[in-house]
Amino acid sequence: MSQLRTKGKSTVVWILMGLMVLGLGGFGVTSFSGGTSEVGSVGETRITADDYARALQSQIRDLSQQTGQPMTMQQAQQMGVPQAVQAQLIAGAALGEQARRIGVSVGDEQVAQTILQAGAFQGPNGSFDRTAYAEILRRENLTEADFEASVREDSARLILQRAVAGGVVPPAPMVDQTAGWLLETRDFSWRELTEADLPSPVAEPDEATLQAWHEANGDRFTAPEARAITYAWVTPDMLSSEVALDEDALRAVYDENIDQFQRPARRMVSRLVFPDEAEAHAARVAIDAGTQPFEAYVLQRGLTLEDVDLGEMTEAQLGAAAEAVFALEQPGVVGPLPTDLGPALFSVNAILDPVDIPFDEAREGLRGEAALSAAARLIRDRAPDYEDLLAGGATLEDLAEQTELELGQIDWSAESVPEEGSIAGYESFVERAALVSTTDFPQLVELADGGVFALRLDEVVPPTLRPFDDVRDAVLADWRAAELQRQLLALAADQRLTAVSETAPGAQTPDAATPDAGTTDAATPGTAPAPAALDWTSEEGLSRNDWMDGLPPELLSQAFELAEPAEAEVVDAGNRVFVVRLDRINEADLTGEDAAQILEGVRARLVQSLQADLFDYYARHAQREAQVQLNTQAINAINAQVQ
């Protein structure tokens, strides 16, 4: 299959039409015309078998890439992919038929210009490559005439689209209202409720309550599907103690990694080149005076810090600038210094001392590395013998008995966290364990560290509810968290009413409620004491997109859902509970400079949305107006062949 076929449509045509704002690609339209048999038609516009097969295969590949798993035709049918592809092709054909009926087309010159400018057909020199053009069409099973006809059809549909959707202007009130909604800020207050706010601590449950909770919430205490796997494996670490190493082998490893043991002094340097000596000197004076940092001059020149970063540099690499740069004993700026590009300032960001570790000092550290390397080579040399044993019918138990491989067993699941040193920590094992079936024969697979393994699936254990006694502590913690959340939410509901009453018109403030002189602090007999005023944390001028550090996003979201100041609401943030009160709504200032960019962005998005809706309505009308015919027998035949 050609690598050009992606994204659920003909990629050759997609590349050519890639600059379309809304684009026929939005409808998944393909326009290959290489087939002779038809799967359908709209008026006089045909949908060929190649059109349908190519679009269907491309859509399946696209879904496989998105999920990371190969998708079968059966799975695609269960998801309704064939029907979606048919709808896309019918929509495209209806638009093509509409263009044909009203006489919309483009000439040969426009078709040629479109093809000549397509990046897919350009050679190394950037111009049209006739050989590449022919090769790509051959891989796509297209003739030049067929492809050029498809380009002509797509260009006509693009003209039709622009005629239908072009010139759309969103109403100004819609733009202002949307921008105002985005730029509006709010002042609000909040308080978090914790267990300390409860009248009494959460009581401990009895065993009957916990057992009932365990049964009612079994999904939380159910072990996931597990795979009982037997495996045989060997790693370099297992054999490293058996490998004999001589002095020459250690010396060879030392020489191969000499950069780790012998390195000259280096400096981490950034270089900023200036147009002339005077400007460079003025910058150096300002940097030394502390009025402008080196980084500011980088940004003023339209550069980034990555643009001027030279990385680690030795004296030899710095050339004429080396003496001044290496004379610095602390990070700083030197220059101006002459360079091939002009006068430059050099910022020394770090000083790296030379590395000089002789072989005698490195010997012991090298021994372990050399042993692992030698053991990996030994495993690689013996791997064909392991494979021959498996091919000859040896079981994993036989393999472990006759070779260095060690036998093991694991109850593996995708959700389990592997123990340190476990074979389940290797990605290749995880991939194989997830796919193997009970009918598969063991195969030798390589591990990332040079080891090998083979495995056998003994049994698939379905999800099982763990016994209460095994998970009692987890059940208790889960019940307690749920009960605490329930009580906090109930308390928050009461405090919400208190918050509203505090801000209601005519409500007394705590100061106003202070008893007059000569009165007692005791409540009037027979009346309940007034609720204590709540302590709030206030926030001012926050927008919808702001981030409140350490607080859940639900808090800010709820603050913007309140309709009027003085309203309050409970926020259930999973394992945290808040009460939030709206203090003020600050309307957006749409006349400021900051609002101009938002207004323009909103206007552009609304234009795109309106154009898409308008063109969608037109496409639906085109389908209703035209006569649509489908060859179900041909479609079913293609579905049966596509894999």
Side-chain angles (χ1 to χ4, degrees), residues 282-294 296-297 300:
R284 172 65 190 279
V285 170
I287 292 172
D288 290 345
T291 57
Q292 283 272 43
F294 176 84
Y297 287 99
Q300 290 173 12

Side-chain angles (χ1 to χ4, degrees), residues 523-551:
T524 303
T527 63
L534 305 180
D535 295 328
W536 298 93
T537 299
S538 298
E539 309 285 350
E540 295 182 355
L542 269 65
S543 70
R544 300 176 190 273
N545 295 325
D546 280 332
W547 174 257
M548 302 172 68
D549 190 29
L551 296 173

Side-chain angles (χ1 to χ4, degrees), residues 49 111 204 243 287 296 340 348 353 364 447 530 536 585 607:
V111 172
E204 291 298 316
V243 176
I287 292 172
D340 294 339
V348 179
D353 294 330
E364 288 306 314
L447 295 169
W536 298 93
I585 298 176
V607 166

